[in-house]
Structure formats: C-alpha cells, structure tokens
Amino acid sequence: MTKKINLLAHLKSDFSSGLVVFLVALPLCLGIAMASGAPLFSGIIAGIVGGIVVGYFSTSHLSVTGPAAGLTAIVLTAVTDLGAFNIFLTAVFIAGLVQMLLGFLKAGTLSNYIPTNVIEGMLAGIGIIIILKQLPHAVGYDADFEGDEAFVQTDGSNSFSSLLGLLQYVQLGSILISLMSLTILILWDKLPMLKKLKAVPGALVAVLLGVILNEWLTLSGSSLAIQKQHLVSLPVPESLEDFKNIIVLPDFTALTNVKVWTVGLTIAVVASIETLLCIEAADRMDAQKRYTDTNVELKAQGIGNIISSLLGGLPMTSVVVRTSANNNAGAKTKMATIIHGVLLLLCVLAIPALLNKIPLATLASVLLMVGYKLAKPATFKHFWERGKYQFIPFIATLLAVVLTDLLKGVALGLFISIIFVLKGNLKRAYSFRKEAYVDGDIIHIDLAQEVSFLNKAAIKSTLNDLPENSKVVINAADTVYIAHDVLDLIKEFKKNRAKEYNIKVKLIGFKKAYELTNSGDEEKHVFVERKSQ
C-alpha cells in the first residue's frame, strides 16, 4: 500500500527546488523540440504536462518528467516519415495508451532486476555527458542544441572533438558570467553568512545576477555583452491568435495507418524503459530511501503522453538530468515537480520576453554542478574498492552511456553483470575440500543453497577427477533447490563410476533437498534459508 504524500509538508524547500528545475528545464524543452524537428512550444507543452499531470499521478518523490533527448532521433524520423506533426501526435496518443496498459500488466517490476552498479554507472555516465555538453555553452559556443546527449553530433564531430575546437569560439562575456555563476553555486551552501538565505536557491541568484550583469554590459556598449544568439530563445506570442496557433491537435483519421501504430509502440517501449531506469536512479538518490511504485509510474506516464498529444506536445519520459537537478536543489516531495510545471506554464505565458534575457552560460553552470555531483570521484572510488565484479559493470555502463546512449549503456552493463553472476554461480554452487585421515582421503563436496543446471559441468568435472579408492561425502543439507540434471548426474556417478573405481560415496540431505525442490513451498524455502544462515 502506497502512503499518501502530503504535498504541502515541505512547501518551502519544494518551491525552491521547483524553481531551479524550471530554470534548467526551460532551455532543455526548447532544445529538444528543435532537435526533434517539432514546433518549439511542443517541448514546453510536454514539460508543463510532465510537471503538473505526471507529477500529480506519480508516486515518485524526486523524479521529473519532460521531453527526453533519448527520443529525439525517434521523433525526428517519425515526423519526417509520417509527413505531418499532427499525424505524429496520434502515435504519441497510442504510446500513452500502451504505457497505461503496461502499468496495469505490472511491467514496471522489471526495473527491480537492474543491479545498483549499473544504475550508478548510468548516472555517472549522464554526469560526464552533461559536463562534456555544457562546457561549450559555458564559454559561449552554442552550436549544439541544449539537451543533446549524443556522442556523435550531426556535423560529424563528437563530444571530445567539440571541446578541442572551443578556443575558436570563446566569448569572454560568457566565460565571465559562467565563472561568476559557478562561484555563487559553489559558495552558496558553504558560507555560514549565506545560511540564512538557504531558502533562496543559489541557481536563482546566479541567473538573476547573470541577467543583470549582461544587461549592464549591453547598455554600456561593452564588447563583453552576450549577444541574442547566446541567450534563451523562447517564442513570444504577441496576440491571442498566436496562442491559439500553438495548440496542434492529433489527426485521429491516421489511426488506420500501420506506420502510426509502429511509431506509437516504439515510443511506448523506449519511453517506458528510460522512465523505469530514471525511477530506479531517483530512488537511489533519495536520502530518505523511499520507493516508487513503478507500475503506477507507467500509468502516470501514459496519462501524461495522452494529454501531451492532445495539446500538441512531444512524448515524454522521466529524465535523469532534471531529476538530478531536483534532488540537488533539496526537493522533499513531488510538489517540487508540480511547481516546476506550473512555473513553466505561468512564465511562458506571462514573461517570455524576460526569460529570453537569461544567458545560456548561466544555465550551463547550473548543469555543470549537476554533472559533477552525478560523476564525482567518490563514486568511482566506492566501486573500485568493492572489487572487479562491481567496478567492471559500473565502468562499462558509464563508458557505453557516454559513447553510445543510455539504453545501450545499460544493456551492456546488464550483460556483463549477468556473465559475472553466472560465473559466480558456477564457483559458489559447491565447495570442494580434502581432509587427510589415517584410513585414507575423505573428500567433502558441500552443495550451496541453490544448485542449477549451470553448475552441472563444474560438478561433473569434479566427480570425474576423484581418485580411485577414495571416500567422498556429498552434503546437500543446506540446499533448498537442486536441478534434476544435477541429481541425475550424482545418481549416475554413484551407480556407475563410483563402483568402477572403488569410490565410496555418502550422500547427506538429498531427500530434504529433493522434497524442497519439488514442493514449491516458499515458506519452507525461506525457513531453510534463514536456518542455514
């Protein structure tokens, strides 16, 4: 049973966090819409719906939903292939319905099988991507859209080669504002004299001072002034008619188009996987260690995508970057997510011209701090100290996320983790030891709690290597499951090879292990497991 969340219990800190996420989300919504080949306001609409609607229905305390960089390639291809944005919106509507169905089918439980080191590798990889992608914006090079996470860029360069070319595009004004913003962000929570102002987020102070400084440089005619192309670029509706034109309705006559259903299913699957990964990451970040009902989350995402499509918005997922910013800003409940959506709605309608004075360099500084906290050196040290079986999946996931994308990175990490599990299972299925006695060698083979068919080859090899005229004790006293393949192997060994080579075999606990294996009685399994521990 999910405990009801009191949305007003931490309003002070949640409003502060929602404000920070709003500042981060604004350029990301616009950048992702631009990269997707969609109307700019479609990204803002998705951000608003993701914040207010998904935020309300979700049980996640920290997760923030909005248009995702991971869907840009799918959206761009689909809009081109389907021929019209309103037809694409029909596919988003279908995706929402499919996600709701997945929620009712309890598909969200799949996220429970993702190892912690893979989730942490994904987060660290996202952190490095943020740093690589925001450094150009911090020095005034804004050729790449905000929110891009791809390693290989559309111009053929990549995240590393772009950094090498930064010196050709440096804007001294952007560097000045970035350094000022980073100084404020670093010192805001550390200086005792600023603790009284902790309710005011450092990101807001950095943004306000960045706007004021750039306005002063512009009015004074300084060469350091940041030009329009390096500021937030939000469309400014000038009349009621302009607002009406923002809303694009889906073309439901396209429901008979097979391509529309294919795109809808693709979006549903990719968006659901990314959401589940982000939810696992959000729960890992949560200092209070609260857990999200992932099945409810899929339903909430489905409702969000349905409403977003009806208003002309992009498809959405839970997003790591915004969620991390929300956590770092001190969010306590999902009210922060809802507030960020409300602020997007109000400010885009009321003060778009003022928002367009925000330097991208300031927002890049905020994101650089988010990236550092996701990929801080302490995380690498932690997994290194836990050994290769924890570190290798972690670092492999990280590198693959940076060099390919989130889904491929997590898939690689899972693959490596599974190999290590299988390898560990083969080693831990039994222990093999000899004890010297006067009357000869007694060889002990102690089986583990679970012995699967994967262990058959190793056990077979051990039995075949037993010397003639020896004595062997095979102990299954602690075993709660033993595969029939292994039982047959041991039975055949005792009946044939042991007699042939004069090996005396003593079996312990096999009757109980066999009964537990075939009973399906979970209570017995748990009892034996606890007893053996």
Side-chain angles (χ1 to χ4, degrees), residues 479-482 484 487 509-521 524-525:
T479 305
V480 297
Y481 171 81
I482 183 167
H484 288 281
L487 282 171
F510 275 83
K511 183 178 179 181
K512 182 187 68 177
Y514 179 81
E515 289 174 351
L516 286 172
T517 298
N518 291 280
S519 68
D521 190 336
K524 284 185 180 180
H525 281 65

Side-chain angles (χ1 to χ4, degrees), residues 24 38 69 109 122 131 223 303 388 416 477 501 518:
V24 169
T109 54
M122 177 192 78
I131 293 170
S223 60
I303 293 170
K388 63 181 180 181
I416 294 173
Y501 290 94
N518 291 280

Side-chain angles (χ1 to χ4, degrees), residues 167-188:
L167 295 177
Q168 303 175 32
Y169 303 98
V170 166
Q171 301 273 334
L172 293 179
S174 293
I175 293 177
L176 175 64
I177 286 179
S178 293
L179 291 175
M180 179 193 71
S181 300
L182 283 171
T183 302
I184 292 169
L185 292 168
I186 292 170
L187 297 179
W188 193 253

Side-chain angles (χ1 to χ4, degrees), residues 373-451:
K373 289 180 179 180
L374 286 174
K376 54 189 176 184
T379 304
F380 291 79
K381 182 182 178 184
H382 170 72
F383 283 101
W384 176 262
E385 290 174 347
R386 293 183 68 175
K388 63 181 180 181
Y389 291 113
Q390 287 292 312
F391 182 75
I392 293 176
F394 164 79
I395 202 70
T397 303
L398 182 155
L399 292 173
V401 166
V402 172
L403 299 176
T404 57
D405 58 46
L406 186 148
L407 295 183
K408 291 176 184 174
V410 170
L412 177 63
L414 278 173
F415 178 73
I416 294 173
S417 294
I418 290 170
I419 290 176
F420 283 166
V421 167
L422 295 178
K423 185 176 179 181
N425 194 34
L426 291 174
K427 286 184 176 180
R428 300 185 186 98
Y430 65 96
S431 61
F432 176 72
R433 54 195 170 89
K434 286 184 180 181
E435 294 178 3
Y437 290 93
V438 176
D439 57 344
D441 284 344
I442 297 180
I443 299 170
H444 292 263
I445 299 176
D446 300 324
L447 300 183
Q449 288 183 354
E450 294 190 9
V451 183

